[in-house]
Amino acid sequence: MLRLLLAFILLSMVLRAVSRLTRGIAAGMQSPPVPPPPQAVALARDPVCGTYVVPAKALTVGQGAEMRFFCSEKCRRAWQVKPAR
Ligand SMILES: [Zn+2]
C-alpha cells in the first residue's frame, strides 16, 4: 500500500514536471521575442545629406510644413545657400 502511494506521488511529480515543461514550450511558441520598434519617434530627413535626424534635436530652417531638419550646421548652411527642392 505504501509503495503504491509512493509510486502515485512520484507519478504526480513527474506529470507536473512534464506539464510545466510543455506549458513553458507552448508559452514560448505563443509569444516569441518581439524586437522593439526600430524608431519610437518620427524622424525627419536631412534634405542635404539624407541623414535621418530627431526633429527635437535637429537644426531647423523654416516654419510649419516648410520646416526642414538638418543633422549639422554645415548641412543647414548648404541648404540655405542652395535649396535643392
Ligand atoms: Zn546632414
Side-chain angles (χ1 to χ4, degrees):
M1 186 59 197
L2 187 67
R3 200 188 291 176
L4 196 72
L5 193 71
L6 280 172
F8 179 76
I9 289 164
L10 195 72
L11 189 72
S12 68
M13 279 170 74
V14 167
L15 281 174
R16 206 178 300 164
V18 168
S19 75
R20 201 181 301 162
L21 191 74
T22 53
R23 212 179 302 155
I25 291 164
M29 283 165 81
Q30 279 167 4
S31 58
V34 179
Q39 290 300 334
V41 291
L43 292 179
R45 192 169 167 272
D46 182 330
V48 176
C49 68
T51 301
Y52 285 89
V53 294
V54 179
K57 292 178 184 173
L59 297 165
T60 61
V61 166
Q63 295 288 321
E66 285 295 301
M67 191 179 274
R68 304 288 171 183
F69 300 90
F70 303 93
C71 68
S72 65
E73 184 61 47
K74 184 174 153 244
C75 286
R76 184 163 74 167
R77 218 171 292 154
W79 175 263
Q80 284 173 325
V81 169
K82 195 187 80 174
R85 283 168 214 255

